[in-house]
Amino acid sequence: QVQLVESGGGSVQAGGSLELSCVASGLSGNSYSMGWLRQAPGKEREGVAAIETTDNSTFYADSVLGRFTISISRDNNKITMNLQLDNLKPEDTAIYYCAADHLFPPRALVITGAADSVGQGTQVTVSP
């Protein structure tokens, strides 16, 4: 069973930075896409960024391209995924969810905003 534990998030002013982390365990097989989804109040969940765990290929939503950076590292049977959020804007305010999928490539995870496994979420708030 895949477990995803998020940390990070918080409140910053526009232009500021935050870092989100997600520790994933229970991933079976060699290849997964991991990524971040977000849901703002009154809006549908959307994909933000994703990375493939074997070749480190990435895909970003247009709204965050050039401002957010996704990366992963491995430690024994766990994968830690980080999302660096720079030049934050008020419209980035949302609950951010760690996600993992064993079939979707990173592009599909971001475009669909869906995944096999989704974490509990962490709040990011950006004030003007």
Side-chain angles (χ1 to χ4, degrees), residues 76-93:
N76 294 326
N77 295 324
K78 294 184 179 180
I79 294 176
T80 299
M81 176 178 61
N82 294 316
L83 185 68
Q84 178 67 35
L85 297 75
D86 295 320
N87 191 19
L88 282 160
K89 303 176 180 180
E91 51 264 42
D92 294 318
T93 295

Side-chain angles (χ1 to χ4, degrees), residues 2-23:
V2 176
Q3 290 187 319
L4 304 172
V5 180
E6 301 121 330
S7 61
S11 299
V12 294
Q13 290 187 325
S17 298
L18 286 171
E19 184 175 35
L20 307 181
S21 293
C22 173
V23 177

Side-chain angles (χ1 to χ4, degrees), residues 29-33 51-57 72 74 79:
N30 293 324
S31 179
Y32 267 80
S33 286
I51 187 167
E52 210 280 341
T53 60
T54 56
D55 66 12
N56 287 359
S57 58
I72 58 172
R74 291 178 177 270
I79 294 176

